[in-house]
Amino acid sequence: MEISLRNQVAVVTGASSGIGSGIAKSLAEAGAVVIVNHSSERSFEEAKAVLKEITEAGGNGITYACDVSKEDQVVKMFQDVVSQFGTVDILVNNAGVQKDAKFTEMTLDQWNTVIGINLTGQFLCAREAIKEFLRRGIDPSRSIACGKIIHISSVHEIIPWAGHANYAASKGAIRMLMQTLAQEYGADKIRVNSICPGAIQTPINKDAWSTSEALSSLLNLIPYNRIGQPKDIGSLAAFLASDLADYITGTSIFVDGGMTTFESFSTGG
Ligand code: BGC
């Protein structure tokens, strides 16, 4: 049994670092042409480094700058990808940020930025991807499904998170977006799922792992007793995007070392 994404084109948003870069590399390893999306000129060098790793390993792709919270940029990205590669088969809606604040001190700007990238960005990219899937229709030489969307959510789609109301709200909303799209487009053979990472070692949560004290307190939340790596998410994304997962749609899969079993209850309650 082999995970194959050969002949397929995948857009991975926020792929210049962190979880997105792990996903981009895994999809390329499975044979997809990967669009390594990054948000701005500031992340261009990082995106180029991810693409270099992909091509050095024998894969194929391009970098593409686009702020996913901006409608005109998202529409143009999908138009450009379709004109260069013919179509899009896979969207991984990964781009996300945290702007943490105590709730009573949270500014509207912190709220809007997080909702804009984490939620509106996923809406805009999913809308453009689904339009393209429907335009192309099913092509069995690519996949038995018409298209695949993977939303990158979080354990915080079900675990409330004090000090991060904007982030938790965006992730909770992604669950309903994902399930609604799976329901609305199931008959068109478009599969839509979420991956919910726990603590993955990336720049977004550096404060939680960069000192030994922080790491040991983080590990108290993880029964499996290790921090996750971007590849842990990449492997599942490649499987979910492949025809091996053809009967999986409308589901959130948690990749969290057991964080959602609420480790603190192992000695209390
Ligand atoms: C957040 C990380 C956090 C993890 C577990 C993720 O969604 O982005 O900062 O470490 O959830 O709490």
Side-chain angles (χ1 to χ4, degrees):
M1 196 166 27
E2 186 206 359
I3 296 178
S4 171
L5 302 176
R6 268 191 300 276
N7 299 330
Q8 299 192 56
V9 178
V11 172
V12 182
T13 66
S16 54
S17 73
I19 289 175
S21 68
I23 293 170
K25 289 182 230 171
S26 296
L27 299 193
E29 198 181 320
V33 170
V34 178
I35 314 312
V36 179
N37 160 255
H38 60 104
S39 59
S40 64
E41 280 315 307
R42 270 179 295 123
S43 45
F44 182 43
E45 290 305 318
E46 284 180 310
K48 273 202 302 196
V50 173
L51 182 61
K52 187 161 179 276
E53 276 192 62
I54 287 175
T55 51
E56 280 175 359
N60 197 359
I62 57 165
T63 63
Y64 196 103
C66 159
D67 175 344
V68 296
S69 67
K70 302 285 189 314
E71 184 173 29
D72 54 340
Q73 295 187 29
V74 171
V75 169
K76 183 163 187 314
M77 174 168 71
F78 278 85
Q79 279 169 352
D80 287 349
V81 171
V82 171
S83 70
Q84 186 168 350
F85 296 102
T87 190
V88 173
D89 303 275
I90 299 158
L91 165 66
V92 183
N93 252 336
N94 166 78
V97 293
Q98 285 182 219
K99 299 281 174 203
D100 309 330
K102 197 171 159 44
F103 188 63
T104 46
E105 282 148 29
M106 189 173 284
T107 63
L108 180 59
D109 190 50
Q110 286 172 319
W111 175 268
N112 283 341
T113 301
V114 170
I115 298 297
I117 295 169
N118 297 16
L119 183 59
T120 308
Q122 295 213 8
F123 151 65
L124 291 170
C125 291
R127 189 188 66 189
E128 295 312 301
I130 291 174
K131 282 199 247 174
E132 172 54 21
F133 299 162
L134 295 173
R135 184 200 64 79
R136 171 183 26 81
I138 299 172
D139 174 355
S141 72
R142 314 174 75 87
S143 171
I144 52 182
C146 184
K148 284 84 55 145
I149 295 180
I150 299 169
H151 296 277
I152 302 304
S153 178
S154 166
V155 289
H156 299 296
E157 80 168 38
I158 59 164
I159 303 181
W161 203 14
H164 307 75
N166 46 3
Y167 184 85
S170 73
K171 297 302 184 179
I174 285 170
R175 183 185 185 89
M176 277 297 123
L177 174 63
M178 175 277 290
Q179 288 190 311
T180 300
L181 297 183
Q183 193 188 65
E184 196 164 330
Y185 292 99
D188 296 296
K189 298 215 99 198
I190 295 172
R191 294 194 295 106
V192 189
N193 293 288
S194 290
I195 298 178
C196 301
I200 309 298
Q201 189 168 19
T202 69
I204 208 172
N205 58 2
K206 197 162 188 291
D207 291 349
W209 52 262
S210 51
T211 64
S212 53
E213 300 76 44
L215 182 62
S216 93
S217 109
L218 178 66
L219 293 180
N220 286 332
L221 302 174
I222 306 172
Y224 205 58
N225 212 35
R226 76 163 170 89
I227 191 164
Q229 297 301 326
K231 201 167 177 11
D232 292 316
I233 308 301
S235 307
L236 177 61
F239 168 74
L240 270 182
S242 78
D243 285 351
L244 292 175
D246 191 58
Y247 205 48
I248 303 179
T249 194
T251 294
S252 292
I253 301 181
F254 290 79
V255 183
D256 65 355
M259 192 178 243
T260 36
T261 68
F262 298 99
E263 167 79 342
S264 48
F265 276 85
S266 63
T267 51

